Amino acid sequence: MTKAAIILAAGQGTRMRSALPKVLHKIAGLPLLGHVAAALKGAGVDRIVVVTSAAGEDVRAYAGSLGAQSVIQAQQLGTGHAAACAGEVLKDFSGTLLIVNGDMPLVTSETILECLKAQGQTGLALLAFEAADPAAYGRVLRKSDGFLDRIVEYKDASPTERAVTLCNAGCYAADAQNFFRWAGALKNDNAQKEYYLTDVPALARAEGVECAIAVTDEVSVSGVNSRAELAEAESKFQDRVRARMLADGVTMTAPETVFFAHDTVVENDVEIEPFVVFGPGVAVKSGARLRSHSHLEGASVESGAIIGPFARLRPGAKIGENAHIGNFVEVKNAAIGKGAKANHLTYLGDAKVGEGANIGAGTITCNYNGFTKSVTEIGAHAFIGSDTALVAPVKIGDGAITGAGSVITKDVAADALAVVRGGLVEKAGWVTRIRADGRVEWIPPPQLDTGQARVNDYHHPENYLLCDD
Ligand code: UD1
Ligand code: MG
């Protein structure tokens, strides 16, 4: 059976106090709208219509990127009115329709399926949950047969009704054609003068269709209306991913300090030390180790590789089997070969590093000249001396060595040694002469306001005017 869904996303989101539309705020690197759409697709929904405000161009663009259609609700006259706005584009659709608030990012496909199952009982259903703190949610009042009596919005509720803890989640399922007939007949005679989606069940009952209630867990349906609720949702989402990772065989000594993106893929027997942060697009193979304080985004890490501590993998970083990326090493758009090592203080950008190569501390691929980006290629088993600047485009052949401190501006042949360095000058006995009384005139460094030198200043020859040299 075909299924379609309407996602309501035209609300102002005033409580977010943001220039960004509420549904584009992110949880684990993915906009709220993306989370809801993913849950719907996972539940077999193949057609999604997003209701946006006239100003919601960015929301429409994002909806398009998800393969969804969008419609404009010119004026925000309420959730019922918003859903009815999708009637025109879905007029040819006959099947089951879900109507979901765009601000419930923790909803899962399983939760959506619970709603669809309940809809099978009567033809109309909604999701409800027992709230620890019902706050301003609409209250769900049941009849003695278990079906819905009515939903009363917080602002319209009496004190007795407000004491009810069963709340409306904002997810409904109905036959599409019935739904649009009911939504078209809504009235706005309530405290907010809005067309409430929550009044649809009363119109259905008038036609003999009861509304079934699927009671689900509170976390999955919690709504985001403020920054505090956004942070709360992020925290719950992270807890959920951490629990899944642990269950799947990932080792974490302090899971509460590790932050995942919505799409992070980590295989079993990966070890993640405390304070590792994942941006979107990361895949880590079994047996890799991610050490503390590393940040990964758009990167892949093969089996046996060790990343960090304090490493940064940026988009396009591909770390090969058993490779080591150590502290204060940044890798961007670079493939690091099997067993290669860059253990300290290095930038590898737009580069290809061959198998078993050793990248010394302080190596920099100078990939950008202010106009264009260029590629550095380092051959297998090459040895890049500490503090080498590789001015791209440049190639270092297999097995070649560069001397420490070299600025390499042209290709180096396989197995060659390349050194670029000023000659070393050694002056025999110079220090002894400096220390001898009366042979130098002390010039205080400019930052000192007295002529008194500190111990260290005597070690800087430029602070002396030499009497003989
Ligand atoms: C709504 C429900 C409430 C439920 C709660 C769950 C109604 C009347 N109330 O309240 O029973 O407990 O969700 O979170 O439905 N929207 C539009 N156009 C509008 C108004 C809203 O598209 O004219 C969209 C919003 O962007 C949002 C969703 O509908 O994604 C819900 O709107 P919101 O204002 O958050 O409703 P709540 O007050 O949370
Ligand atoms: Mg809401």
Side-chain angles (χ1 to χ4, degrees):
M1 192 175 58
T2 54
K3 282 174 257 176
I6 302 172
I7 302 180
L8 306 181
Q12 313 282 7
T14 343
R15 286 167 278 176
M16 294 298 283
R17 293 176 172 271
S18 177
L20 188 70
K22 177 164 80 175
V23 292
L24 295 186
H25 281 265
K26 290 177 180 173
I27 298 284
L30 185 73
L32 306 186
L33 183 58
H35 284 276
V36 177
L40 288 166
K41 286 180 192 167
V45 171
D46 36 34
R47 191 162 168 199
I48 297 177
V49 180
V50 180
V51 183
T52 65
S53 69
E57 260 166 53
D58 295 347
V59 180
R60 286 189 285 283
Y62 181 62
S65 76
L66 298 172
Q69 287 173 278
S70 14
V71 293
I72 295 177
Q73 181 194 22
Q75 268 183 299
Q76 278 58 71
L77 301 177
T79 47
H81 177 259
C85 288
E88 189 54 31
V89 289
L90 287 170
K91 67 172 186 287
D92 60 335
F93 176 76
S94 56
T96 306
L97 179 68
L98 285 144
I99 305 96
V100 190
N101 285 1
D103 64 354
M104 42 193 293
L106 298 176
V107 69
T108 62
S109 301
E110 292 70 33
T111 318
I112 301 287
L113 290 170
E114 285 174 44
C115 189
L116 287 168
K117 193 169 159 213
Q119 191 254 347
Q121 293 174 41
T122 60
L124 173 66
L126 61 81
L127 280 179
F129 63 101
E130 280 295 342
D133 170 16
Y137 285 113
R139 305 301 202 260
V140 173
L141 311 178
R142 283 175 184 255
K143 295 191 290 161
S144 54
D145 61 6
F147 293 130
L148 181 75
D149 178 8
R150 65 200 164 91
I151 300 167
V152 53
E153 285 307 296
Y154 178 78
K155 288 187 179 154
D156 303 300
S158 67
T160 329
E161 287 164 343
R162 285 184 183 179
V164 170
T165 51
L166 189 64
C167 291
N168 173 29
C171 175
Y172 318 79
D175 166 78
Q177 298 306 320
N178 286 343
F179 175 79
F180 288 119
R181 190 173 61 256
W182 298 326
L186 286 169
K187 301 256 177 343
N188 67 347
D189 45 1
N190 52 55
Q192 305 190 81
K193 295 277 165 276
E194 285 186 1
Y195 296 88
Y196 287 167
L197 189 49
T198 47
D199 289 342
V200 160
L203 295 160
R205 176 129 36 98
E207 291 185 13
V209 178
E210 295 286 358
C211 180
I213 300 171
V215 180
T216 189
D217 75 298
E218 180 168 8
V219 170
S220 301
V221 291
S222 40
V224 171
N225 299 293
S226 63
R227 305 275 181 162
E229 286 173 357
L230 182 71
E232 184 66 15
E234 176 78 51
S235 154
K236 286 171 183 163
F237 187 88
Q238 292 297 337
D239 284 345
R240 191 190 268 172
V241 183
R242 288 167 190 143
R244 174 167 54 81
M245 292 285 178
L246 291 167
D248 288 352
V250 174
T251 298
M252 288 185 274
T253 46
E256 70 282 7
T257 67
V258 176
F259 289 81
F260 294 97
H262 64 101
D263 61 350
T264 310
V265 180
V266 181
E267 291 188 354
N268 70 321
D269 289 324
V270 167
E271 187 184 342
I272 307 177
E273 291 184 359
F275 302 104
V276 170
V277 176
F278 294 87
V282 176
V284 184
K285 287 275 164 62
S286 185
R289 184 174 176 203
L290 309 181
R291 305 207 54 199
S292 286
H293 297 281
S294 293
H295 189 284
L296 299 84
E297 181 180 1
S300 62
V301 178
E302 295 297 321
S303 176
I306 302 175
I307 309 300
F310 295 97
R312 180 167 182 210
L313 303 187
R314 290 175 53 203
K318 293 185 172 64
I319 313 303
E321 242 175 80
N322 299 319
H324 291 187
I325 300 297
N327 40 274
F328 308 106
V329 174
E330 174 179 338
V331 183
K332 184 219 73 170
N333 187 30
I336 311 300
K338 214 170 169 175
K341 290 180 184 162
N343 272 328
H344 344 257
L345 301 154
T346 285
Y347 173 60
L348 297 169
D350 302 316
K352 218 169 124 188
V353 175
E355 198 174 313
N358 193 312
I359 312 296
T363 296
I364 304 289
T365 52
C366 309
N367 60 328
Y368 186 48
N369 59 9
F371 302 96
T372 52
K373 301 256 168 94
S374 302
V375 172
T376 301
E377 284 181 45
I378 298 171
H381 304 287
F383 182 99
I384 307 300
S386 296
D387 198 26
T388 296
L390 298 158
V391 182
V394 72
K395 282 185 196 172
I396 309 296
D398 290 351
I401 294 181
T402 68
S406 296
V407 178
I408 305 291
T409 51
K410 44 180 212 179
D411 294 355
V412 175
D415 299 316
L417 166 69
V419 194
V420 186
R421 207 179 271 169
L424 187 147
V425 178
E426 180 176 325
K427 297 191 176 184
W430 188 91
V431 180
T432 315
R433 290 204 304 283
I434 287 297
R435 285 188 186 126
D437 282 346
R439 310 224 13 228
V440 292
E441 182 189 336
W442 168 244
I443 303 168
Q447 70 270 30
L448 294 180
D449 50 14
T450 74
Q452 278 188 333
R454 294 166 306 195
V455 172
N456 270 345
D457 295 321
Y458 286 104
H459 296 293
H460 291 283
E462 66 272 23
N463 288 338
Y464 295 89
L465 183 66
L466 300 183
C467 295
D468 72 335
D469 187 22

